[in-house]
Amino acid sequence: MGKLSAEQLSELKSLLEQRKAEIEGRIDEVRDGQSRVDHARDIIETRGSVERQHSSDREVDLALSDMGAVDLARVNAALERIENGTYGECDECGCDIPFARLQIEPQTQHCVACKSRWERETAAVPTARM
Ligand SMILES: [Zn+2]
């Protein structure tokens, strides 16, 4: 605890807030895209079937919003940890995550050692990311 200085913490906090704004912007774009797609679909569907187009659009949109939602949850969790003073500790082994690593990946909850172990263990699941 307390390994990060107040300045470092506030730098990381603003990185996280930036990231949060980016992700929220991206999710909004996906939602806008979705409603445009729905609108177009309504028009087309009154004239005939567009099943193939329909399913590929939906897959893309789902993938995008899932990605944004997961990132956002992680960023929000990191901001919460800043608030309650547990930010910067590895969730797995409890060590202090180096500032340099947090600057690159401020939402991370794991030190490099735990993360690479985790990645080896989940190598068979390419969609899982930390
Ligand atoms: Zn660790």
Side-chain angles (χ1 to χ4, degrees):
M1 284 300 299
K3 308 300 187 301
L4 294 166
S5 71
E7 275 162 33
Q8 287 173 328
L9 264 182
S10 74
E11 182 184 331
L12 294 167
K13 190 174 175 181
S14 64
L15 280 174
L16 283 163
E17 277 163 355
Q18 249 173 46
R19 209 160 277 211
K20 182 176 167 167
E22 275 170 26
I23 296 166
E24 283 173 346
R26 208 167 68 206
I27 290 175
D28 282 349
E29 272 173 36
V30 172
R31 285 211 185 110
D32 285 355
Q34 182 66 56
S35 57
R36 276 198 301 273
V37 168
D38 283 344
H39 184 64
R41 194 175 290 147
D42 286 346
I43 294 168
I44 296 164
E45 276 176 355
T46 58
R47 293 189 239 145
S49 168
V50 282
E51 276 312 310
R52 225 177 49 185
Q53 180 68 26
H54 188 121
S55 66
S56 66
D57 282 348
R58 194 167 53 196
E59 277 161 32
V60 170
D61 287 336
L62 275 179
L64 280 173
S65 57
D66 278 356
M67 200 165 72
V70 170
D71 285 348
L72 189 62
R74 211 164 271 158
V75 167
N76 281 331
L79 285 166
E80 244 169 62
R81 292 198 301 278
I82 288 180
E83 291 305 314
N84 66 28
T86 58
Y87 183 74
E89 286 173 40
C90 175
D91 226 30
E92 193 72 25
C93 68
C95 73
D96 294 310
I97 302 169
F99 179 59
R101 169 158 167 68
L102 292 169
Q103 275 181 304
I104 299 165
E105 230 182 320
Q107 76 277 32
T108 192
Q109 290 181 50
H110 297 95
C111 68
V112 174
C114 290
K115 189 187 175 185
S116 47
R117 196 183 60 227
W118 186 87
E119 278 174 350
R120 274 200 308 277
E121 285 168 4
T122 57
V125 190
T127 51
R129 283 177 53 215
M130 268 184 113

